[in-house]
Amino acid sequence: MPLHPVAEAGVTVVDWIDERTSLSGAGRWMMFRKVPKGTNWFYTLGSATMFAFLSQAVTGVFLAMYYRPDATGGAYESVRHLTNEVFLGAFVRGMHLWGASVMVVLVFLHMGRTFLWGAYKYPRELNWIIGVVLLILTMVMALTGYLLPFDQRAYWATVVASNITGTGPIVGPYLADFLRGGSEFGATTLSRFYAIHMLVVPGLIAALMGAHLYLVAKLGTTAPPWKKVHKDVKLDTIEA
Amino acid sequence: MNQRQKEEYLREYSILKSEGKPFFPYAVAKDAAMACVVMICIITLSLVLGVEQGSKVNPTTTTYVPRPDWYFFFLFELLRVIKPPSLVGLATVGIPTLGMILLFTLPFFDRGPERRPERRPIATATFVFVAIAMALLTYDGATVGTPTALNINLPTSVAQQGTAAVAKFELGREAVAQNGCEDCHDIAGNGNSGPGPELTYIGSRLPANAIGRTLANPTAPMPSFKNLPANKFDAIEYFLSQLK
Ligand code: HEM
């Protein structure tokens, strides 16, 4: 039976791209790899974290359309405007705010799962390390985002947080000065936090997530630790 | 894990994997279901709990008690739990840094082949301990110390009037702290020194009923508090009238 012309066109476009990129092989490699027997709901925590991050990215773009990183009152005013006057503004801001909490919870649950099940052991050590960096970056997102509404709570919590950073070993003082844009909390601090929060760290997270996922597909996800190969012919013949 | 154990693991894993199912559509379906749950959670939280905006930044206040978002409470609480000043550095920087180093190096010092949690007592006990400690510290951080706590000594004149008076005074203290009076008034070194007048000795300046009149019908910019529950309103009035 001949294909519907629209489907035909779709196939042609995909073929055209595939002829030049060979991407379909990578897609098949990612999608049709096998996951071990016994894979259960706990294995969805990683992709749930990724989904929460995507939600943050999308809602964040909408917030960025209204937000002004202006420490002299513009920031506070733009958040007020967004919350009270923009259509669905409070809802999207709420999704971003609570999405942050959800992502933090999920990243800890996912880490707890991989820790308890010993998934950090050979050969997945590097993926664990990438994961720790992702955890830290997630917390940096939470910290830098907290300042942006620029109300009293945001301001004072951030002053304290950057002062605490300043007491850190070796790099502490430099890191604190870099964050604040000087030795004091000033007008540039807010725009620095904004750039870090919406460009630098999300970029790093996206890149590292890619590496994390590549390794997941390459090495395969662990089987639950209780799953053992039945002492049947297969293993015996291999060992013999 | 030595070379033999590594090979054994890889061999066993490849068998388990070959017995498994393809990622698409089996795992993808679970992931998609979970993504829906996550989305529903986020939307529900946004609709039910909403957003708020506090008062505008005022860098000249020095008494505002800073408060991080809830997922940093456990770090923040360490600061309160570890009191001696010489150890504060340990709480704020030492413990988190140590924690991070341990996390990064974990795959290098825990290299045994065993993966079942019940056969890794140290790892599992550490997990349980850290999880409980973080939960407790987060809970403490959530319940102790409102951001606008009002530190003021109980006047002896109130203490002498008996427990009912003390309870009313405490209720008033709490209501004042909760209603943002400190945004505009200095009360014994708590709060901002303007735009409202200092209230530290307000009781010697105004009688209780005059304070009540101001609360109900203030001059701008002070907002009216006449819609507060009567017991809170009375408690605020009493609290202020005792500040002499
Ligand atoms: C932004 C945060 C993160 C994202 C989006 C993410 C995503 C994922 C995904 C989708 C998987 C595969 C499925 C699964 O096991 O859930 C995975 C596996 C893994 N992740 Fe993460 N992850 C994140 C953070 C972390 C953290 C903080 C750690 C630990 C420190 C970590 C360690 C691991 C390990 C060891 C695996 C392999 C698990 C296995 O093979 O069973 N990840 N990650």
Side-chain angles (χ1 to χ4, degrees):
Chain A
M1 201 182 85
L3 281 173
H4 188 277
V6 177
E8 188 91 48
V11 171
T12 313
V13 170
V14 171
D15 281 350
W16 189 89
I17 294 176
D18 196 42
E19 195 181 336
R20 282 152 189 83
T21 59
S22 307
L23 273 179
S24 72
R28 267 197 297 277
W29 176 75
M30 189 79 194
M31 297 312 278
F32 296 110
R33 68 193 152 96
K34 285 207 166 164
V35 291
K37 221 169 150 177
T39 298
N40 57 27
W41 286 97
F42 288 106
Y43 288 81
T44 62
L45 290 168
S47 75
T49 314
M50 187 167 71
F51 185 75
F53 175 75
L54 290 179
S55 166
Q56 290 304 88
V58 173
T59 49
V61 167
F62 282 104
L63 298 185
M65 290 174 183
Y66 292 93
Y67 184 75
R68 273 181 291 140
D70 165 15
T72 57
Y76 184 83
E77 172 53 31
S78 68
V79 174
R80 194 201 57 72
H81 171 68
L82 172 77
T83 313
N84 298 336
E85 283 143 31
V86 174
F87 178 63
L88 287 184
F91 176 61
V92 175
R93 202 186 140 208
M95 280 183 70
H96 198 73
L97 176 72
W98 293 105
S101 292
V102 169
M103 182 170 169
V104 169
V105 169
L106 286 172
V107 81
F108 273 103
L109 289 178
H110 171 60
M111 180 167 85
R113 197 286 279 172
T114 51
F115 177 83
L116 261 190
W117 292 17
Y120 53 85
K121 298 189 171 192
Y122 177 83
R124 300 185 182 77
E125 297 95 327
L126 183 59
N127 219 15
W128 169 268
I129 292 170
I130 295 175
V132 179
V133 180
L134 281 170
L135 174 77
I136 295 172
L137 290 176
T138 306
M139 294 317 262
V140 170
M141 287 303 272
L143 189 83
T144 49
Y146 199 59
L147 174 68
L148 301 182
F150 222 54
D151 55 13
Q152 283 282 69
R153 201 161 54 136
Y155 178 83
W156 288 104
T158 310
V159 168
V160 172
S162 55
N163 287 346
I164 288 178
T165 311
T167 61
I170 311 165
V171 293
Y174 300 99
L175 193 61
D177 282 359
F178 168 75
L179 280 175
R180 287 187 295 239
S183 57
E184 286 293 313
F185 197 104
T188 47
T189 313
L190 182 61
S191 47
R192 276 217 181 179
F193 269 59
Y194 186 47
I196 293 174
H197 182 79
M198 74 153 222
L199 291 170
V200 181
V201 180
L204 285 174
I205 290 186
L208 286 173
M209 252 181 211
H212 200 68
L213 282 185
Y214 167 74
L215 284 181
V216 165
K218 169 122 182 24
L219 302 170
T221 46
T222 51
W226 302 273
K227 278 266 175 262
K228 287 282 169 255
V229 170
H230 300 293
K231 283 280 168 225
D232 63 2
V233 236
K234 266 185 192 157
L235 194 63
D236 292 348
T237 44
I238 293 172
E239 266 174 350
Chain B
M1 278 169 109
N2 56 34
Q3 198 55 35
R4 194 187 58 77
Q5 288 165 327
K6 285 183 182 173
E7 276 165 21
E8 197 174 314
Y9 175 77
L10 290 181
R11 193 159 354 105
E12 206 165 301
Y13 177 71
S14 71
I15 294 175
L16 284 171
K17 192 172 171 181
S18 67
E19 286 173 352
K21 291 177 174 171
F23 177 69
F24 181 88
Y26 297 98
V28 170
K30 275 191 186 144
D31 284 349
M34 191 63 176
C36 292
V37 173
V38 170
M39 197 77 247
I40 291 171
C41 284
I42 295 178
I43 289 178
T44 311
L45 283 167
S46 173
L47 289 177
V48 174
L49 296 174
V51 288
E52 55 180 33
Q53 192 173 22
S55 49
K56 210 166 170 166
V57 166
N58 181 350
T60 56
T61 37
T62 48
T63 52
Y64 191 86
V65 181
R67 206 169 155 75
D69 220 339
W70 70 267
Y71 30 77
F72 288 112
F73 279 174
F74 71 100
L75 284 179
F76 202 63
E77 269 304 289
L78 278 179
L79 262 178
R80 299 153 63 93
V81 177
I82 303 182
K83 282 272 160 49
S86 57
L87 293 181
V88 164
L90 182 74
T92 55
V93 184
I95 292 180
T97 309
L98 187 70
M100 276 192 267
I101 292 174
L102 287 178
L103 279 178
F104 272 120
T105 52
L106 171 69
F108 303 105
F109 61 77
D110 179 14
R111 294 191 297 188
E114 185 55 63
R115 285 162 203 250
R116 279 167 290 187
E118 71 274 18
R119 305 263 174 108
R120 291 154 53 225
I122 299 179
T124 306
T126 311
F127 176 89
V128 172
F129 172 77
V130 171
I132 293 180
M134 280 176 68
L136 284 181
L137 286 171
T138 303
Y139 177 78
D140 271 359
T143 47
V144 194
T146 51
T148 44
L150 186 49
N151 291 316
I152 197 164
N153 293 329
L154 185 69
T156 40
S157 57
V158 176
Q160 281 157 7
Q161 289 171 42
T163 47
V166 172
K168 194 166 185 187
F169 185 86
E170 291 303 332
L171 181 65
R173 176 213 301 272
E174 198 187 303
V176 166
Q178 283 167 351
N179 283 288
C181 313
E182 289 157 88
D183 285 355
C184 305
H185 292 283
D186 179 347
I187 308 173
N190 301 277
N192 302 328
S193 52
E198 184 180 340
L199 299 179
T200 315
Y201 305 106
I202 183 70
S204 55
R205 206 152 15 102
L206 289 180
N209 57 2
I211 294 175
R213 270 200 301 279
T214 309
L215 285 175
N217 295 307
T219 15
M222 177 163 152
S224 167
F225 292 91
K226 66 166 174 276
N227 294 326
L228 281 182
N231 67 330
K232 288 212 172 144
F233 187 95
D234 292 346
I236 294 182
E237 190 184 288
Y238 176 75
F239 171 80
L240 291 180
S241 68
Q242 298 306 311
L243 301 179
K244 290 178 179 156

